[in-house]
Amino acid sequence: MVLAGVLFSLGLIGLLVRRNLIFVLMSLEVLLNSAGLAFVVAGSRWHQADGQIMFLFILAMAAAEVAVGLALVLRIYHRFTSLDVDAISEMRG
Amino acid sequence: MELTFYVTGAVAIVSTILMLTRLNLVHALLYLIVTMLALAVEFLVLGAPFAAALEAIVYAGAIMVLFLFVVMMLNIGRHAADSERRWLTRGIWIGPVILAGILVIEVAYAAGVASPGLGTAATGPKEVGIALFGPYAIGVALASMLLMAGLVGAYHLGLRKSELPEKRHDTVADEGRVGPGGSLVLAGTDRSPRTT
């Protein structure tokens, strides 16, 4: 559980620090992995299969999120020719 | 087995830190693959072999290939050949190879030891499958709907205005399981000329 916490905080730091969109996506992967690790640890602690099932759902969700995220990255790169998240913060609301 | 658990955790943390401090995308991808493999070994040690296999196949295989596709597609025009020659120097491989070698040694050691799992019985694929299609059948249906929406969304986003749709065809079809309907925001914004 401590390992899951450390990985989660590392992913969060990466998410906040790096300014490259692909690094942001990779940090999201680390975050989802740490959550899945916490589920698996809990499932193996109580000898239940539920932890692995939740990990499967997290896996499916991560695959979905990464595919759409990378498609968006391609669109953004073709439009702005940059992957800096500060450069594309022109959405005013 | 305790030792294996802690060493694998240390490998995962170290490779994650190294991933975050790289400046080059491909180097960071290498370290991310090592992180995924370390987590797969961790699941194996924890007595979840099905989750370990899925982690290695889906994350370290499919998702990393998707990342690699995007990195390759982004680098087409900028600096193609000379930058690759600069990336592929000898020293790059040392870090990931050392960390992955530690993982391989651990797996060999764990295969030698008789009982898998951290002192507990492993929860095999059979139990997971029975529970997955028993009480969790509604979750499976929801996940499949999410993946279908993601497939359509990524296809829509990748197809628009790019005159080479076959590459996106390849990546999306290779994945087969893709992401949520984030494209609803943009849906139909490019179709207006045809409707008028």
Side-chain angles (χ1 to χ4, degrees):
Chain A
M1 292 303 268
V2 173
L3 175 68
V6 169
L7 273 185
F8 190 86
S9 50
L10 272 180
L12 194 61
I13 289 170
L15 185 68
L16 293 176
V17 166
R18 294 310 296 259
R19 287 273 81 94
N20 192 319
L21 264 181
I22 293 191
F23 274 101
V24 170
L25 279 180
M26 285 157 68
S27 305
L28 272 177
E29 289 301 302
V30 175
L31 282 179
L32 290 171
N33 261 302
S34 63
L37 177 66
F39 271 115
V40 171
V41 167
S44 85
R45 168 66 180 80
W46 282 284
H47 308 290
Q48 296 289 321
D50 300 344
Q52 292 188 53
I53 288 167
M54 292 314 290
F55 173 73
L56 287 189
F57 289 154
I58 288 176
L59 195 71
M61 200 269 292
E65 171 257 335
V66 157
V68 167
L70 286 177
L72 278 172
V73 163
L74 278 183
R75 300 295 306 160
I76 286 170
Y77 183 73
H78 285 156
R79 176 152 180 186
F80 296 99
T81 64
S82 164
L83 284 180
D84 199 342
V85 289
D86 291 329
I88 59 176
S89 66
E90 65 172 16
M91 181 187 286
R92 295 174 182 83
Chain B
M1 275 311 185
E2 294 269 339
L3 180 67
T4 316
F5 179 82
Y6 287 121
V7 171
T8 315
V11 167
I13 290 173
V14 166
S15 65
T16 307
I17 292 172
L18 285 174
M19 180 201 92
L20 288 179
T21 52
R22 291 308 97 176
L23 290 181
N24 197 317
L25 265 178
V26 180
H27 304 171
L29 271 179
L30 285 177
Y31 282 112
L32 187 58
I33 290 174
V34 174
T35 303
M36 300 303 173
L37 290 179
L39 278 179
V41 176
E42 194 87 76
F43 291 156
L44 192 65
V45 170
L46 283 171
F50 188 51
L54 277 179
E55 170 95 14
I57 293 171
V58 176
Y59 263 119
I63 293 183
M64 288 307 113
V65 166
L66 203 59
F67 267 107
L68 207 59
F69 260 118
V70 171
V71 171
M72 281 160 54
M73 288 172 77
L74 290 183
N75 274 305
I76 288 173
R78 278 192 293 183
H79 33 261
D82 52 341
S83 67
E84 281 193 23
R85 211 162 292 130
R86 256 186 295 117
W87 290 350
L88 294 179
T89 53
R90 198 68 49 80
I92 294 167
W93 302 99
I94 293 178
V97 161
I98 288 175
L99 292 175
I102 293 174
L103 291 181
V104 168
I105 292 170
E106 274 182 313
V107 169
Y109 168 72
V113 177
S115 69
L118 203 62
T120 68
T123 307
K126 189 178 175 185
E127 289 89 355
V128 174
I130 286 173
L132 190 60
F133 288 101
Y136 283 97
I138 183 69
V140 175
L142 284 175
S144 68
M145 283 169 61
L146 171 71
L147 291 176
M148 188 65 209
L151 178 71
V152 175
Y155 181 75
H156 180 70
L157 280 176
L159 194 62
R160 285 197 303 148
K161 234 188 322 185
S162 65
E163 294 305 315
L164 54 164
E166 62 274 4
K167 286 185 179 175
R168 288 307 299 173
H169 271 304
D170 278 347
T171 46
V172 170
D174 275 345
E175 265 303 289
R177 40 186 112 74
V178 202
S183 66
L184 286 181
V185 181
L186 298 173
T189 49
D190 60 331
R191 301 293 166 82
S192 46
R194 203 183 57 187
T195 58
T196 50

